[in-house]
Amino acid sequence: MVTPLASPARKPLTTAAVVAAARKLIEARGMAACSMRALVGALGVQAPALYRRIRNKDELLALVLDDVMGGMTFPSDGAWQEQLAEIMRRLRALFARRPALAALFAHATPHGPHALRFIEAATAPLRRAGFSDASATFAITALTTYTIGLTFLSASRSRGPSHRQMQATLRRARDAAGNGQFGPDTLAAYTVLEGTHAASAEALFEFGLRHMLAGLAADLPIQDFHHGDTEARRHADS
């Protein structure tokens, strides 16, 4: 009698394996495809095995976001504006290569170890410049939202009609608007839209980033310098 061979033991499911599978699923099919049920199928496990590792989808997405942010590096020196600008450029570059994952910011709050490293790196130049903790929080939130939002928008546009097609559509609409039915403000609006679609994503990002940082710099004199000996306070006292 032939003794049947024992089936190979399945490797224990790890959190890292779950996160990797979820990340792959999102990149391939988008956020809507990433459900706990879909993940069970992708991993080839029973639902209880998955839920022993990940409590729910919210926890899963937070872990995936933190995993992606683990690919960031941070500048260590430079003026506070340039250091902060470089951090945002690197954030944009990270998610521009993985545009489907940019949607994670709409579903999860960054709070894992890699996200905390990002927040620490972005906070340091602001605190050094003299921003209060509250103002630094607002600044990082505004800059991150702008960076991720523009990255996601640029990726969405790249999957739609080409710039050439969009320009032709807007040109026809502008010409139709110029037949006397609309005023000069409407014509000017179409001109702005044409320019927006003609501009590169890089140029648009740098324009907005430059002006956001200039606004923060202009706001600096009214910050609360009570805590700590900051560069801005030393300049104010000189």
Side-chain angles (χ1 to χ4, degrees):
M1 180 177 180
V2 178
T3 303
L5 295 174
S7 58
R10 183 185 296 274
K11 292 182 179 179
L13 184 65
T14 64
T15 301
V18 175
V19 170
R23 179 171 170 171
K24 185 177 180 180
L25 194 61
I26 295 170
E27 288 193 74
R29 297 167 52 192
M31 285 292 303
C34 185
S35 66
M36 299 297 275
R37 178 179 295 181
L39 203 51
V40 164
L43 289 164
V45 298
Q46 297 297 316
L50 175 60
Y51 282 100
R52 279 195 293 269
R53 287 294 171 186
I54 308 291
R55 289 175 298 177
N56 51 49
K57 187 174 178 179
D58 290 341
E59 181 182 357
L60 171 66
L61 296 181
L63 288 169
V64 175
L65 177 56
D66 199 65
D67 182 63
V68 180
M69 295 188 75
M72 283 197 70
T73 59
F74 306 101
S76 57
D77 54 18
W80 71 267
Q81 296 100 320
E82 185 50 43
Q83 195 171 352
L84 198 54
E86 182 59 24
I87 290 172
M88 294 304 149
R89 290 185 189 112
R90 294 184 187 187
L91 180 66
R92 175 178 176 269
L94 179 68
F95 283 93
R97 295 192 297 269
R98 306 163 180 83
L101 295 173
L104 284 165
F105 279 88
H107 298 270
T109 300
H111 64 272
H114 297 305
L116 289 177
R117 282 182 59 241
F118 165 78
I119 294 170
E120 290 169 1
T123 301
L126 287 165
R127 292 185 59 126
R128 192 173 71 245
F131 286 89
S132 66
D133 288 345
S135 293
T137 298
F138 285 170
I140 294 168
T141 301
L143 285 164
T144 302
T145 302
Y146 165 73
T147 300
I148 293 299
L150 192 62
T151 301
F152 186 72
L153 179 62
S154 298
S156 298
R157 283 183 174 176
S158 70
R159 293 191 295 270
S162 68
H163 284 312
R164 182 177 299 176
Q165 290 174 302
M166 186 61 69
Q167 287 287 89
T169 300
L170 289 170
R171 194 177 303 113
R172 287 194 297 271
R174 175 170 52 80
D175 291 343
N179 62 8
Q181 296 181 9
F182 301 96
D185 289 343
T186 301
L187 293 175
Y190 276 116
T191 301
V192 169
L193 282 172
E194 286 185 75
T196 300
H197 281 276
S200 71
E202 181 80 17
L204 287 171
F205 172 72
E206 289 294 334
F207 177 87
L209 182 62
R210 183 171 71 252
H211 285 277
M212 291 185 77
L213 290 171
L216 287 172
D219 194 44
L220 189 55
I222 67 172
Q223 301 305 310
D224 177 13
F225 300 128
H226 179 68
H227 300 289
D229 182 20
T230 64
E231 292 179 5
R233 184 173 184 176
R234 288 197 296 271
H235 289 316
D237 292 341
S238 61

